[in-house]
């Protein structure tokens, strides 16, 4: 199977996850870029930010059109994460690639375990700036360092900490992902990270954007908890494989 076909297939899966779950796509994008397309860990995390920023902004439009974005909460989350994302993105270019891979594997495994538990909405509460800012800053740091959008962390935070329902949390997380990814990507510009293969990144991104629209439609037909558990199983397997590969 050619690299181009693999890029298209992987991109479609990443987009499907982002569109349906509001996050998680980037934690599949990085291993796909490394193991299927031969990118270095540093180039993969940078490329993932490009792919996720483009795909999330597209999916954000679809969710916003349906009124499923809490702009106030999302803007506060995103603003708090900009500086941490930028600083962590700059630092990531100076970290050994084995360390990046191990850190990514651990975060992905933790995210998978968290996603196995069904998300239960709390009653809506008054938005507390301190909670939103603290969660947003932590999310930004993860995004910048590991090259992931952070939606797999943003959605649970928006649901359990700030009381958004699942559908609005998914839509709002896409705003946070877009802003954090762009901030981290800005920091990585000129820091090395290996050459980026645009001949593969372009098709990967295009397929992810189309997949995000399909994911949006899928989210209206299939239980969010069911989708989340299937995705969590795949993510956990990928995380374990990456960790074993680094240790071996």
């Amino acid at each position: 199977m050619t690299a181009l076909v693999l890029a298209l297939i992987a991109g479609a899966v990443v987009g499907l996850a982002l569109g349906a779950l509001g996050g998680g796509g980037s934690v599949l994008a990085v291993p796909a870029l490394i193991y299927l397309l031969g990118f270095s860990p540093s180039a993969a995390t940078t490329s993932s930010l490009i792919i996720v920023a483009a795909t999330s902004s597209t999916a954000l439009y679809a969710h916003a059109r349906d009124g499923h974005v809490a702009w106030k909460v999302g803007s506060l989350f995103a603003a708090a994460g900009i500086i941490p994302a930028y600083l962590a993105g700059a630092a990531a270019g100076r970290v050994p690639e084995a360390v990046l891979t191990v850190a990514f594997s651990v975060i992905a495994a933790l995210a998978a375990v968290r996603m196995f538990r069904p998300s239960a909405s709390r009653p809506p509460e008054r938005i507390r700036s301190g909670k939103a800012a603290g969660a947003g800053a932590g999310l930004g740091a993860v995004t910048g360092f590991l090259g992931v959008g952070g939606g797999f962390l943003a959605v649970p935070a928006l649901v359990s900490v700030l009381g958004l329902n699942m559908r609005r949390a998914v839509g709002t997380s896409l705003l946070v992902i877009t802003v954090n990814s762009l901030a981290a990507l800005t920091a990585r510009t000129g820091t090395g990270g290996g050459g980026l293969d645009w001949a593969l990144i372009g098709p990967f991104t295009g397929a992810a954007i189309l997949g995000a629209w399909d994911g949006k439609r899928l989210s209206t037909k299939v239980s969010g908890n069911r989708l989340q558990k299937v995705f969590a199983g795949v993510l956990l397997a990928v995380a374990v494989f990456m960790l074993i590969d680094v240790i071996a």
Side-chain angles (χ1 to χ4, degrees):
M1 191 176 295
T2 67
L4 177 59
V5 173
L6 290 173
L8 291 171
I9 294 173
V13 173
V14 167
L16 196 67
L18 275 169
L21 302 174
S26 54
V27 292
L28 286 182
V30 172
L33 289 166
I34 293 174
Y35 295 106
L36 294 181
L37 302 178
F39 283 50
S40 69
S42 181
T45 51
T46 300
S47 301
S48 173
L49 289 170
I50 297 170
I51 295 162
V52 171
T55 308
S56 297
S57 60
T58 303
L60 173 63
Y61 169 77
H63 283 265
R65 188 182 58 182
D66 293 340
H68 295 152
V69 177
W71 292 101
K72 183 178 179 180
V73 176
S75 297
L76 186 57
F77 247 69
I82 289 175
I83 292 177
Y86 185 91
L87 295 176
R94 299 173 176 82
V95 174
E97 293 188 344
V99 174
L100 276 179
T101 304
V102 170
F104 180 91
S105 302
V106 171
I107 290 294
L110 291 174
V113 171
R114 171 64 184 80
M115 292 174 77
F116 272 121
R117 299 200 300 269
S119 299
S121 298
R122 288 174 51 183
E125 60 180 58
R126 183 167 58 86
I127 297 171
R128 297 180 181 178
S129 299
K131 283 185 176 182
L139 192 65
V142 171
T143 297
F145 190 70
L146 298 180
V148 298
F152 60 90
L153 298 175
V155 172
L158 290 167
V159 170
S160 61
V161 176
L162 298 178
L164 296 184
N165 63 52
M166 187 64 180
R167 197 172 295 279
R168 279 171 66 79
V170 168
T172 304
S173 74
L174 292 166
L175 170 63
V176 179
I177 293 168
T178 300
V179 174
N180 283 348
S181 297
L182 289 173
L185 188 58
T186 300
R188 288 180 180 232
T189 303
T191 61
L196 301 182
D197 189 345
W198 290 100
L200 294 177
I201 294 174
F204 196 120
T205 304
I209 290 173
L210 293 176
W213 285 94
D214 289 334
K216 169 66 172 57
R217 288 192 290 268
L218 183 63
S219 68
T220 65
K221 298 177 181 179
V222 182
S223 162
N225 284 332
R226 180 178 299 177
L227 283 173
Q228 196 166 284
K229 287 179 179 179
V230 171
F231 179 80
V234 175
L235 180 58
L236 184 59
V238 170
V240 171
F241 171 80
M242 291 182 71
L243 197 57
I244 291 175
D245 184 64
V246 173
I247 296 174

